Amino acid sequence: MKRPIIITGFMGSGKTKVASELARRMNLVTVDLDNWIAEREGRSAAQIIVEDGEPAFRAIESNALRDVLQTNAVDIIALGGGAWIEETNRQLIDQYGCTTVWLDAPFEMCWARIETSAEERPLGKTREQSLALYERRRPIYSLAGIHIEILDDNLDDLISRILRTGLQD
Ligand code: S3P
């Protein structure tokens, strides 16, 4: 059974980019959970949240996470920002013995990316809403096994720091 690496963190912390760069460097297979959901559902995470509500999205997200883990074919999974917050998902991740990495980016960095991104984020519509969510979620992100503080936009440095933790040792 594979023990995938899980990348978590707030919206705009760079999860997708980091997962794909790590996969490239380590020659591993990566999946972005929101993309997986969008392909299967024919709608983006944002669309599902807007049309069906957040609880419906969370149910789809948990099923998707279970399915990705069950394929036993994926080495690195970039979660959506809320997936790690759900206890059932954390338990599932634990059952698979995954290595979990929290990309701890400062709020202002996340917000700048959220604000300028073309991607719709219904749970991060305003600065106030995003900041409240960021503060509320921090203690839960901190339950991840590996804590990577993001200092700037230097992806190379970030990847080197993640690799130096040993990850799958
Ligand atoms: C969410 C984050 C989004 C996406 C959805 C909900 C969240 O993913 O899953 O809009 O609850 O933080 P990103 O973290 O990739 O933006």
Side-chain angles (χ1 to χ4, degrees):
M1 191 176 84
K2 276 193 201 281
R3 298 167 57 229
I5 298 163
I6 301 282
I7 310 291
T8 186
F10 197 65
M11 293 175 261
S13 59
K15 300 179 291 291
T16 307
K17 202 187 270 185
V18 165
S20 58
E21 185 57 16
L22 264 183
R24 195 183 68 79
R25 299 257 196 118
M26 299 169 82
N27 203 18
L28 295 175
V29 176
T30 186
V31 153
D32 178 86
L33 194 62
D34 280 341
N35 290 345
W36 171 285
I37 292 169
E39 273 170 35
R40 214 166 51 166
E41 299 289 320
R43 292 183 296 167
S44 68
Q47 267 175 299
I48 299 170
I49 293 173
V50 170
E51 291 168 8
D52 300 353
E54 188 183 348
F57 171 68
R58 294 298 169 210
I60 292 171
E61 187 178 50
S62 291
N63 285 333
L65 177 62
R66 186 177 299 277
D67 290 349
V68 172
L69 288 167
Q70 269 173 4
T71 63
N72 203 31
V74 177
D75 306 291
I76 304 180
I77 304 170
L79 300 181
W84 176 255
I85 305 307
E86 302 297 309
E87 194 179 355
T88 50
N89 296 342
R90 293 199 304 278
Q91 281 169 355
L92 184 65
I93 286 167
D94 193 48
Q95 278 163 26
Y96 275 80
C98 300
T99 301
T100 53
V101 180
W102 169 31
L103 302 183
D104 179 13
F107 175 74
E108 293 308 334
M109 184 186 279
C110 295
W111 176 244
R113 291 173 180 168
I114 294 169
E115 207 182 16
T116 55
S117 159
E119 196 184 319
E120 200 196 337
R121 278 152 165 142
L123 303 183
K125 278 208 172 303
T126 66
R127 192 179 186 284
E128 290 65 35
Q129 182 192 25
S130 299
L131 182 57
L133 200 57
Y134 180 93
E135 298 291 357
R136 191 154 12 105
R137 286 179 173 178
R138 268 186 76 80
I140 306 175
Y141 290 131
S142 76
L143 300 172
I146 297 176
H147 177 195
I148 300 288
E149 227 179 317
I150 312 237
L151 314 164
D152 51 37
D153 283 326
N154 188 335
L155 184 61
D156 267 354
D157 170 64
L158 178 55
I159 298 291
S160 305
R161 286 196 287 131
I162 294 174
L163 292 174
R164 277 203 299 272
T165 65
L167 279 176
Q168 285 178 312
D169 294 353

